[in-house]
Amino acid sequence: VQIFAGNGDAEGGCIEVRAGTGNLGGSVSLMSGTGLEERSGKVSISSPPSVKLSGDLSIMSGESSEGTSGSIALGSGDGADNSGDVVISSGDASDGDAGELLVNAGDGDSTGGSVSI
């Protein structure tokens, strides 16, 4: 299944996938196909190249006004032989400054978050 938004001279069309609202909001799940004999399919989320400025990619959980915000888990699965790598990197810059890699723990009224590497 392929879903495309239309092209435009000024701005291309947008695609939004959103689950329903309720006392318990609906979920959105993206998953590749299972490989019965070989590897499972690849899931790729990216913004494509651009002449001037490529688009940002944001992954974040929502805020909670009366409880706990959601966690973000980024990792590779277990493997019988080897597990996969987790690579976080900033791109190279041919004519300017390369981006930084920043890791920040949040502030808390009781205890601030910690960073472990």
Side-chain angles (χ1 to χ4, degrees), residues 2-3 30 38-40 43 52-53 55 64 68 84 87:
Q2 295 181 335
I3 301 171
L30 298 174
E38 296 292 328
R39 60 180 287 156
S40 62
V43 175
K52 298 271 184 181
L53 178 65
S64 174
T68 304
V87 178

Side-chain angles (χ1 to χ4, degrees), residues 12-68:
C14 296
I15 296 174
E16 181 175 302
V17 177
R18 183 185 296 201
T21 300
N23 286 336
L24 177 63
S27 297
V28 174
S29 179
L30 298 174
M31 183 182 295
S32 68
T34 301
L36 298 176
E37 296 291 331
E38 296 292 328
R39 60 180 287 156
S40 62
K42 177 180 174 182
V43 175
S44 179
I45 301 173
S46 64
S47 67
S50 174
V51 174
K52 298 271 184 181
L53 178 65
S54 66
D56 295 333
L57 180 62
S58 297
I59 300 173
M60 60 186 312
S61 67
E63 296 178 357
S64 174
S65 60
E66 296 182 8
T68 304

